Amino acid sequence: MTTLTPQKPATIKQAGGIPAPAAAPRNDSWHRLIDAVRESGQYPTRSEAESVTRVVLSALGGHVVGDERVDLARALPEEAARVIASQIPVNRRLTAAEFVDSVAARIEGATPATARWDVSSVLSVLPDVVGDALVTRVLAQLPPGYALLFGRAELSPA
């Protein structure tokens, strides 16, 4: 059995012998997601933004099922996809307020107000990462009230 150990990223040579830039590692997309959350939530450190992102995505992961869950995991950076995909689907859908309270329970010292900030800081950057169409499909699975957490207006049918 042969084991491959990566030593250095391969470079692809373009016509004319000039090396093409190597594709950006997927970990860079995780760092871009964390930086977007950090900016959105005005967190003082990347570590704090990363911790909040993991907690919120973990909570969300149990509420998104089926094709939307698969598509969400595919669209997110690998690290975020693992957080979403590792969650067992919940038996009962939480209202948006209950969801925020569940996140508050996972973050030491959090209040419902700070947890709402954390949830919105993470979820509001997802449309730029995964696309509006997928966010719309995810929201269709969730009870009313979640759209505001994603930075969208909550529209009701006329």
Side-chain angles (χ1 to χ4, degrees):
M1 178 176 194
T2 305
T3 304
L4 298 176
T5 307
Q7 300 296 325
K8 181 177 160 186
T11 56
I12 301 167
K13 291 202 176 192
Q14 297 174 339
I18 302 170
R26 286 200 65 180
N27 199 22
D28 280 352
S29 58
W30 169 250
H31 291 299
R32 283 193 301 274
L33 172 63
I34 298 306
D35 289 342
V37 170
R38 182 178 178 191
E39 183 177 323
S40 172
Q42 300 177 349
Y43 297 104
T45 66
R46 177 182 268 178
S47 176
E48 187 175 350
E50 182 172 354
S51 176
V52 165
T53 301
R54 288 180 187 282
V55 170
V56 172
L57 291 180
S58 174
L60 181 65
H63 292 277
V64 180
V65 296
D67 290 341
E68 285 71 22
R69 180 183 175 116
V70 171
D71 292 345
L72 184 60
R74 284 183 181 153
L76 286 168
E78 186 176 343
E79 188 69 26
R82 280 196 296 263
V83 173
I84 292 279
S86 68
Q87 302 308 304
I88 297 171
V90 297
N91 293 326
R92 182 180 77 81
R93 300 259 186 234
L94 299 177
T95 66
E98 291 171 328
F99 180 81
V100 168
D101 289 343
S102 77
V103 169
R106 297 176 186 208
I107 300 174
E108 186 177 337
T111 66
T114 61
R116 187 182 191 299
W117 179 269
D118 293 336
V119 169
S120 292
S121 296
V122 175
L123 298 184
S124 67
V125 302
L126 291 186
D128 288 339
V129 176
V130 303
D132 285 326
L134 180 54
V135 169
T136 298
R137 289 174 41 215
V138 167
L139 285 170
Q141 285 193 354
L142 301 171
Y146 278 81
L148 293 173
L149 299 174
F150 281 84
R152 290 186 173 183
E154 185 76 46
L155 302 176
S156 56

